[in-house]
Amino acid sequence: MTIHKEGYKTIFVGFFIAAIIALVAQYTVANDVAKYIVFGVAAIFFFLIVNFFRSPERICSKNARAIITPADGEVVVIEEVDEPEYLKKRCMQVSVFMSPLNVHVNWFPIGGKIKYSKHHSGRFMGAYLPKSSTENERTSVVVETIDGEEILVRQVAGALARRIVCYAKEGDQVEQGDQMGFIKFGSRLDLYLPLDSNIKVKIGDKVVGTQTTIATL
């Protein structure tokens, strides 16, 4: 299992905490059963941290007219909305919610040129709430396709997520399926697509980053 670079520091700290807990239990807990329970809890704690930062290697079948899923998770929003930050027009919004158990790597949903990339400080409400898209800590990225379409993808922090990492820089050329960033713990990804996009998913669908097609242009 490959570990994402954004997790190295957290995993080290998690290992240190788990080791301290086990060491303290070794010398302070007299009951063997209780001691092994503490060891087990410490091991599970460390395993969950390592598992969270897993970074699977996936082959993306590139398609210039397809919007692939930028994250693992569940589709929680499909609706027409006004996008006020950059596109400033009516769009189709598709949102994917990531639980703490999902892979939290984010990928570019389509290839093209980065026209806009901006981080916004904000609140840490539950990422499943509609207001989280505009009020939570978030980063908005706009990719202009080879055909001149502009697609906005927004990383949104959740109640547990305290750090959004985004690699997009204005002016860069990116490939569909390249890593866009990482969000630590529960969060969501919003996509803002042209109104005439052919949506291929429905609410409640489980999607896999780079593998599931969200829509075609």
Side-chain angles (χ1 to χ4, degrees):
M1 179 175 62
T2 303
I3 301 300
H4 199 278
K5 63 182 181 180
E6 300 297 341
Y8 293 164
K9 181 178 179 180
T10 304
I11 289 172
F12 175 79
V13 172
F15 175 78
F16 180 77
I17 292 173
I20 292 296
I21 291 172
L23 192 62
V24 170
Q26 175 68 31
Y27 291 102
T28 61
V29 179
N31 184 284
D32 285 344
V33 174
K35 185 184 298 183
Y36 290 134
I37 289 174
V38 174
F39 289 166
V41 169
I44 291 171
F45 166 75
F46 180 65
F47 170 78
L48 289 175
I49 291 176
V50 172
N51 187 63
F52 177 83
F53 287 103
R54 65 196 186 279
S55 180
E57 294 184 10
R58 295 174 181 167
I59 297 174
C60 173
S61 299
K62 295 178 173 59
N63 184 333
R65 301 301 294 171
I67 304 296
I68 61 170
T69 307
D72 289 9
E74 179 181 349
V75 177
V76 294
V77 174
I78 301 175
E79 64 181 358
E80 287 189 23
V81 299
D82 291 312
E83 198 296 301
E85 180 181 348
Y86 178 89
L87 300 175
K88 301 186 186 302
K89 63 181 180 180
R90 198 77 173 164
C91 302
M92 284 300 302
Q93 178 184 341
V94 180
S95 298
V96 176
F97 174 75
M98 296 177 284
S99 80
L101 297 180
N102 288 127
V103 170
H104 271 56
V105 180
N106 304 149
W107 295 271
F108 287 106
I110 200 162
K113 182 178 181 180
I114 304 297
K115 295 293 295 294
Y116 177 80
S117 180
K118 187 172 183 179
H119 177 265
H120 303 270
S121 298
R123 301 170 64 184
F124 295 98
M125 298 184 293
Y128 55 86
L129 296 172
K131 286 185 177 181
S132 66
S133 292
T134 54
E135 295 188 19
N136 276 20
E137 185 95 6
R138 61 200 181 278
T139 296
S140 300
V141 175
V142 175
V143 181
E144 182 182 57
T145 72
I146 193 171
D147 296 321
E149 297 272 17
E150 291 184 323
I151 307 300
L152 190 151
V153 55
R154 179 173 290 139
Q155 299 169 291
V156 182
L160 295 177
R162 298 291 164 171
R163 187 178 176 214
I164 294 175
V165 179
C166 184
Y167 306 136
K169 295 181 180 179
E170 292 181 15
D172 283 357
Q173 288 289 144
V174 297
E175 294 287 333
Q176 187 175 48
D178 285 352
Q179 284 197 16
M180 188 181 86
F182 196 97
I183 309 180
K184 294 187 176 182
F185 304 106
S187 43
R188 73 188 252 179
L189 268 288
D190 296 334
L191 283 166
Y192 294 87
L193 311 173
L195 282 179
D196 60 356
S197 299
N198 184 11
I199 306 298
K200 300 292 188 179
V201 293
K202 60 183 183 300
I203 299 256
D205 280 358
K206 305 295 184 182
V207 294
V208 180
T210 76
Q211 306 298 294
T212 307
T213 297
I214 289 286
T216 53
L217 299 175

